[in-house]
Amino acid sequence: PEIMVTAAKWALLGALGTGLMFSRGVAFVTTSGSSMVPTINDTSNTSVLLVDVFSAVTNIKKNDIVLCHDPEECEGFIVKRVTAMAGQFVQLDPHEEPGPYVARHSYEGRLSVPTGYCWVEGDNRSTSHDSRAFGPIPLGLVKGRALCRIFPWPKVLLKSE
């Protein structure tokens, strides 16, 4: 009985995902690592996300979880939370060790995100390699917005400000 319930859940998710792929333009993305704990990889080291890849980057906003090309490794991708958009200020934690970018570019404990960029950070700041190290991400590197985690068990990832 439990196997049938699990199979039914996966069949429903598959149908949902297939429908979204044709109507919305989504991709399934596998993530690993601890930089987004507890939001994404909270019960497993690997998760599968449903990512909207056809939304214009102009629709990206603060608190969205995004899939981006890794700015330091051209073949890689990263999944992080947008914490500031162009024109907004990033307030730095004085008790936290600043990353290389922050150490060079901050002024009086904050810095501004330039036009055409966004600032991304992992939810698990102690293990995340993010904008604090490499700086703001050009919006052209943002490839999509995470809609939900579908494995280990579905979890909606969209947040409102």
Side-chain angles (χ1 to χ4, degrees), residues 24 50-52 55 60-61 64-66 144-147 158:
R24 182 92 169 128
L50 190 63
V51 177
D52 177 356
S55 278
I60 301 298
K61 58 189 177 307
D64 283 348
I65 296 174
V66 293
R145 181 173 57 117
L147 300 173
L158 298 175

Side-chain angles (χ1 to χ4, degrees), residues 8-9 14 27 39 47 68 76 86 89 107 112 115 122 127 136 141 144 150 155:
K9 288 177 186 175
T39 307
S47 292
C68 307
F89 286 93
Y107 178 72
S112 175
T115 301
T127 65
L141 294 184
I150 59 172
K155 182 178 189 179

Side-chain angles (χ1 to χ4, degrees), residues 63-121:
N63 288 323
D64 283 348
I65 296 174
V66 293
L67 171 70
C68 307
H69 279 287
D70 188 329
E72 296 181 322
E73 187 180 316
C74 62
E75 296 296 319
F77 288 89
I78 58 173
V79 174
K80 303 291 180 192
R81 183 177 305 280
V82 175
T83 57
M85 293 298 295
Q88 296 179 330
F89 286 93
V90 176
Q91 189 65 42
L92 306 170
D93 185 347
H95 305 293
E96 193 175 81
E97 187 68 31
Y101 183 88
V102 168
R104 285 191 311 268
H105 298 284
S106 64
Y107 178 72
E108 294 183 355
R110 64 186 203 157
L111 47 87
S112 175
V113 179
T115 301
Y117 288 77
C118 65
W119 189 267
V120 297
E121 295 182 7

